[in-house]
Amino acid sequence: MSLYFITGNKNKFEEVKAILGDVEQLDIDLPEIQDIDAKNIIRAKLLEALNYKEGKFIVEDTSLYLDCLKSLPGPLIKWFLKTIENNGLANMAEKLGNNRAEAKTIIGYAKNRDEIEFFEGSIFGKIVAQTGVSGFGWDPIFQPDGFDKTFAEMTTEEKNNVSMRKIALEKLKEFAAKEQNQL
């Protein structure tokens, strides 16, 4: 049975394929519920994907949690970026006096409706004034702990070596290997 990663983002797919190997990209537009719990969003997307075709599916959500906003925006980051943009988030963190943040990727994996697993990867860092032009989303304002540059200032290789997505994917890969050995 084929394993599909549901994404329209070619770069995300390449990162997933580099770690998992035998995975196919499925570029379909699934409805996305809005919730502050990323697992609820992922579960809803996986259940919808299971209606679409036969196979195993993975879906991911990458979120940004700011301490100064009591973990908002979380999975609502897309809407924050559309309204106040990166500069607005950085200004808020500065004005509220707390620039600590957590970047988190949660990957959902479904074999069927009853077997859905979640794999998390997170890294901590701080929100800084926008720097760097590469990357996407909030990359220009997130500086991981232990680094003196934002995700946007890092090369793709540097970012992928420390990314929360890589951490979550490694957990999924370990799970898949154990599952394969049980067959």
Side-chain angles (χ1 to χ4, degrees):
M1 188 179 309
S2 295
L3 174 62
Y4 298 101
F5 176 42
I6 301 173
T7 184
N9 186 311
K10 186 177 179 178
N11 294 329
K12 281 184 186 180
F13 174 69
E14 290 303 323
E15 185 178 352
V16 168
K17 188 169 180 66
I19 293 172
L20 295 182
D22 191 23
V23 62
E24 297 177 45
Q25 182 177 6
L26 188 57
D27 186 359
I28 56 174
D29 194 20
L30 296 174
E32 185 170 311
I33 66 167
Q34 298 305 300
D35 198 306
I36 57 171
D37 184 342
K39 288 181 180 177
N40 290 337
I41 296 167
I42 293 167
R43 179 179 283 108
K45 288 178 100 170
L46 286 169
L47 291 173
E48 186 63 33
L50 288 163
N51 292 331
Y52 185 77
K53 72 184 307 179
E54 188 127 341
K56 299 176 188 175
F57 299 94
I58 55 176
V59 171
E60 65 115 55
D61 179 82
T62 298
S63 302
L64 185 64
Y65 301 84
L66 278 65
D67 285 3
C68 66
L69 297 176
K70 296 185 179 182
S71 294
L72 283 173
L76 304 173
I77 185 65
K78 174 182 176 180
W79 306 112
F80 275 64
L81 291 176
K82 276 188 165 195
T83 55
I84 62 172
E85 302 177 334
N86 282 323
N87 285 332
L89 282 171
N91 288 338
M92 263 197 274
E94 181 183 349
K95 287 181 177 151
L96 292 171
N98 183 348
N99 66 355
R100 299 298 304 153
E102 178 183 14
K104 184 186 294 186
T105 294
I106 301 175
I107 295 176
Y109 165 78
K111 288 192 331 187
N112 57 53
R113 294 185 162 300
D114 298 320
E115 295 180 82
I116 296 176
E117 304 287 337
F118 297 98
F119 306 91
E120 291 186 26
S122 69
I123 57 174
F124 294 89
K126 61 185 176 182
I127 302 300
V128 298
Q130 187 163 319
T131 55
V133 292
S134 64
F136 57 93
W138 41 266
D139 282 2
I141 63 167
F142 184 76
Q143 182 179 322
D145 287 346
F147 292 86
D148 60 356
K149 34 185 173 173
T150 65
F151 272 166
E153 295 173 295
M154 294 180 179
T155 65
T156 301
E157 185 177 300
E158 285 175 314
K159 180 184 173 192
N160 288 348
N161 281 334
V162 298
S163 85
M164 53 281 166
R165 184 176 296 113
K166 179 182 180 183
I167 296 166
L169 284 168
E170 291 291 347
K171 290 176 181 178
L172 170 58
K173 184 177 180 178
E174 186 178 311
F175 172 84
K178 286 179 185 174
E179 188 176 66
Q180 186 68 26
N181 288 335
Q182 293 175 356
L183 298 178

